[in-house]
Amino acid sequence: MRLKFILLLFLFLVSCNLSYSQGSKFDKVFDETSKVLLSSNPEKALRNTAYLYEISANNTERIRASMLRATLLRQHGMRNEAVTALKRADSLAVLDKNYNLQARINGFLSTIYREYEIYSLGKVYLQRAIAVSKKIEDKNEMYKFQGTLSQEIAYYEMYNSNFSKAIHDLKAGKKKFELADSSIDKNFHIAVNDELIGKNYLSLQKIDSALVYFQKAEKELSESESSNSPLKGFIFNGFGNVYARTGDDKKALLNYQKAEEIAIASDFFTLKQELYASLMQFYKKTDYKKYIEYNELNLKLKKDEEDSRKSNTDDLIKTLREEQKNNQLKNDQSRIIIFLGCFIFIVLIIMLVYVFKRKKDYIKPEAVSGNNEVIEIEDLKPKQESSKEYMSEATESAILEKIQKLEESHFYLDKDISLNYVAVKLSINQRYLSYVINKNKSIDFAGYINELRIHYITDRLRNDNNFLKYKISFLADLCGFSSHSRFTTTFKKVTGVSPLTFITDLQEQRDEEKKDL
């Protein structure tokens, strides 16, 4: 009996020691992956997330590993794989009734779908996150999460140009942060909120209110634990935009320069993107040379980011394939082990039965009866919606008139234009808008927008000689194209010639006209 007790105690101590060392190892690998490898070595980071999942001692660690994996995959544009990792994490969080992690996972899914403009699905996960967050028992964690969630809600409103609603949501989120205790950096979170509120006031042309909130954000950030965060660059960019709107170019330029110093030092892609867009807008009316300079910087930034992302994505895909092969190999080995185990078990059973029968002449088996209940689950399939749209001629004519009127505002020059944006602008159902464009323009929405852009730029080239001097990349950006190559391809498709040939022909025509005079 004593021997048995000593053996059990020994096994307990060994298991505790293993659990402790494994937990310590998990934290060490997790910190290294999230703080260093996530940006410096994404391929190794991806391998580490798989390893972290393997050594996880409990579901909380498995969820953390899956969320880290999703962060990495989202960072490199691998949305489907990121969603898969998050859904695996969500199933574990539901199993453990961990409402804090459930809320974070659903919020993350909402962000991914919003970034890829699948807004309807994004809002579904957003509502789930809101509902689950109310069940978080730790009030401090609940306030922190709901405050952060208000920013996600605001982004949806900003996309739909509901800037006043976005401000309302952000102010509600600010109150949540204020309710949290000092264990979180409240000043930093509130500074993020106020910087976003400032942006929304700018969009509403309420310059004075925007300035007040950028000033609040600057003060809160200076009093936070992250006073040197790149957020400071976004705030300076906000100040620059405010002063540019009021006509104080000197102050505007001073703040843009401060923002640029932070952007270069931090190499923060989103900050550079926002700042270059502001500087392009600033110089567009005053200094075309500077405008072209920042336009080219912006184009280079996008190209470098695309090249880097493509390179990293190729490496990650290669790593994922290797993981799949290794998993398949492990599964095959597991099947063999299970098969052998079952075979040995069956042999042992047969042997035991044989021995038992030898000891007893005959044992009549008792009849065992029971009710087997079969439950059939009906596969619910969503009803297919008809893709055709039916409307009266009057409705169709009214929509077409609205579209033609909107064309006069040159709305199509906006790079971020989308079917949803135009539908909201005209207060029209998206499917109706798409149907009318397809029927009356004999082209889809994207083709329609690109044709308008090309017609705009060819008109400017024909009627303004200055445009013949500009670079192709500048012309592409001016009429709303995000890349030089896309512009050239579309230009040739619409006009039948390349932009360079079109410009050369116009220049020759101008020269001939001068000779005739």
Side-chain angles (χ1 to χ4, degrees):
M1 191 71 182
R2 285 182 180 177
L3 182 62
K4 187 177 180 182
F5 174 76
I6 292 168
L7 182 61
L8 288 170
L9 181 62
F10 172 75
L11 289 171
F12 174 74
L13 291 172
V14 168
S15 66
C16 286
N17 185 54
L18 283 171
S19 177
Y20 172 76
S21 61
Q22 198 170 34
S24 300
K25 189 173 186 179
F26 179 94
D27 291 334
K28 184 180 177 182
V29 176
F30 187 93
D31 287 343
E32 180 195 11
T33 306
S34 60
K35 294 176 182 176
V36 180
L37 299 176
L38 199 65
S39 55
S40 64
N41 192 341
E43 188 180 355
K44 186 177 178 182
L46 185 64
R47 294 184 192 278
N48 276 8
T49 58
Y51 176 64
L52 282 166
Y53 196 88
E54 286 179 12
I55 66 169
S56 297
N58 51 56
N59 280 346
T60 300
E61 289 185 351
R62 291 185 190 96
I63 292 166
R64 288 176 65 199
S66 296
M67 290 184 73
L68 182 60
R69 186 180 183 85
T71 301
L72 174 68
L73 293 166
R74 169 205 172 204
Q75 182 176 309
H76 294 283
M78 302 172 74
R79 176 176 61 85
N80 291 335
E81 291 80 0
V83 169
T84 299
L86 287 171
K87 287 186 175 178
R88 178 171 66 176
D90 188 47
S91 64
L92 295 172
V94 169
L95 192 67
D96 280 6
K97 293 185 179 179
N98 190 325
Y99 301 120
N100 186 19
L101 287 176
Q102 281 183 55
R104 286 173 58 193
I105 292 163
N106 280 284
F108 197 167
L109 283 164
S110 172
T111 300
I112 289 178
Y113 285 117
R114 172 178 58 78
E115 289 174 344
Y116 285 87
E117 297 186 359
I118 309 175
Y119 294 98
S120 56
L121 198 52
K123 286 181 179 178
V124 169
Y125 284 103
L126 180 62
Q127 292 304 319
R128 286 186 190 176
I130 293 168
V132 174
S133 69
K134 294 173 183 177
K135 298 179 182 179
I136 299 173
E137 293 179 0
D138 185 330
K139 294 294 183 185
N140 194 51
E141 284 293 328
M142 183 185 73
Y143 293 141
K144 177 186 172 184
F145 179 78
Q146 289 184 344
T148 307
L149 202 62
S150 70
Q151 295 164 12
E152 180 67 13
I153 296 168
Y155 278 118
Y156 280 96
E157 299 299 346
M158 289 164 72
Y159 171 78
N160 289 320
S161 301
N162 296 331
F163 303 115
S164 297
K165 181 68 168 61
I167 290 168
H168 176 269
D169 292 328
L170 288 165
K171 286 181 177 179
K174 186 176 177 180
K175 290 178 182 177
K176 296 292 183 183
F177 285 128
E178 287 169 348
L179 289 170
D181 62 28
S182 58
S183 63
I184 69 164
D185 190 356
K186 288 199 286 187
N187 283 326
F188 178 78
H189 288 293
I190 292 171
V192 173
N193 260 37
D194 282 344
E195 191 269 338
L196 271 174
I197 291 172
K199 280 180 181 173
N200 279 281
Y201 273 125
L202 261 182
S203 298
L204 290 169
Q205 305 299 324
K206 295 184 178 181
I207 310 301
D208 291 341
S209 297
L211 179 60
V212 167
Y213 275 92
F214 285 130
Q215 288 169 341
K216 284 183 178 182
E218 183 182 32
K219 183 176 183 295
E220 286 147 4
L221 183 63
S222 68
E223 294 172 354
S224 75
E225 296 170 16
S226 307
S227 56
N228 291 320
S229 163
L231 176 62
K232 189 186 288 186
F234 288 96
I235 295 169
F236 282 134
N237 184 52
F239 280 133
N241 290 334
V242 166
Y243 291 124
R245 299 278 180 92
T246 59
D248 193 338
D249 290 353
K250 189 175 179 181
K251 278 189 178 181
L253 194 56
L254 181 65
N255 280 283
Y256 286 141
Q257 287 169 347
K258 288 179 182 179
E260 191 167 21
E261 287 174 11
I262 295 168
I264 292 168
S266 64
D267 197 26
F268 199 120
F269 177 80
T270 310
L271 175 56
K272 284 183 178 180
Q273 205 172 32
E274 277 197 24
L275 176 62
Y276 292 162
S278 297
L279 285 166
M280 284 164 63
Q281 192 70 25
F282 180 74
Y283 285 121
K284 195 169 188 178
K285 298 175 182 176
T286 56
D287 190 336
Y288 260 110
K289 191 175 179 182
K290 282 281 188 184
Y291 171 79
I292 293 168
E293 179 186 329
Y294 279 101
N295 176 56
E296 289 179 349
L297 278 173
N298 196 33
L299 292 172
K300 184 179 182 301
L301 184 71
K302 289 178 181 177
K303 186 178 183 303
D304 289 347
E305 197 263 346
E306 285 172 6
D307 291 346
S308 173
R309 176 170 287 186
K310 186 179 183 303
S311 174
N312 286 335
T313 302
D314 289 343
D315 290 339
L316 292 179
I317 290 170
K318 184 180 176 183
T319 303
L320 281 171
R321 285 175 180 165
E322 287 175 6
E323 278 185 15
Q324 287 172 350
K325 286 180 182 178
N326 291 335
N327 288 336
Q328 185 62 43
L329 183 62
K330 286 179 183 177
N331 288 336
D332 291 342
Q333 290 172 345
S334 298
R335 287 192 190 100
I336 292 169
I337 291 168
I338 291 168
F339 175 78
L340 288 172
C342 290
F343 178 75
I344 292 167
F345 178 74
I346 291 168
V347 169
L348 287 171
I349 292 293
I350 292 169
M351 288 175 67
L352 285 169
V353 169
Y354 177 76
V355 171
F356 184 73
K357 281 188 175 182
R358 292 277 293 180
K359 286 184 177 181
K360 301 283 184 180
D361 290 332
Y362 178 75
I363 296 176
K364 187 177 181 181
E366 294 180 5
V368 179
S369 64
N371 294 323
N372 293 324
E373 190 175 329
V374 179
I375 302 172
E376 293 182 357
I377 300 174
E378 184 181 352
D379 183 21
L380 298 176
K381 295 181 180 178
K383 294 180 181 178
Q384 294 182 350
E385 294 180 3
S386 173
S387 60
K388 291 186 177 181
E389 299 292 344
Y390 298 98
M391 66 182 78
S392 66
E393 288 185 11
T395 303
E396 187 178 329
S397 298
I399 292 173
L400 191 59
E401 188 179 340
K402 282 186 177 184
I403 293 169
Q404 289 166 345
K405 189 173 181 181
L406 186 62
E407 285 178 11
E408 296 172 7
S409 68
H410 303 311
F411 75 99
Y412 45 82
L413 300 180
D414 184 354
K415 285 183 183 178
D416 299 321
I417 201 73
S418 67
L419 179 66
N420 184 55
Y421 174 83
V422 177
V424 171
K425 192 88 173 170
L426 298 177
S427 302
I428 299 171
N429 179 292
Q430 280 189 55
R431 292 194 297 273
Y432 280 16
L433 178 61
S434 179
Y435 173 77
V436 171
I437 289 171
N438 276 299
K439 183 180 175 184
N440 292 275
K441 308 292 183 181
S442 299
I443 198 168
D444 62 13
F445 178 78
Y448 164 65
I449 294 297
N450 285 338
E451 278 196 4
L452 287 174
R453 289 168 173 172
I454 298 302
H455 290 321
Y456 170 82
I457 208 67
T458 53
D459 182 66
R460 298 303 297 271
L461 286 166
R462 287 191 183 99
N463 296 295
D464 189 338
N465 288 337
N466 289 325
F467 273 72
L468 299 175
K469 303 172 187 175
Y470 297 143
K471 292 182 180 180
I472 302 297
S473 59
F474 172 73
L475 296 174
D477 180 73
L478 190 66
C479 65
F481 283 91
S482 57
S483 71
H484 178 291
S485 59
R486 183 69 182 275
F487 170 71
T488 303
T489 303
T490 309
F491 193 100
K492 191 169 183 180
K493 184 179 177 182
V494 174
T495 65
V497 296
S498 68
L500 185 60
T501 303
F502 189 88
I503 291 168
T504 305
D505 289 346
L506 278 177
Q507 285 174 332
E508 289 176 357
Q509 188 180 336
R510 298 285 188 278
D511 292 340
E512 287 294 327
E513 288 172 358
K514 286 180 183 177
K515 286 180 184 178
D516 292 341
L517 293 172

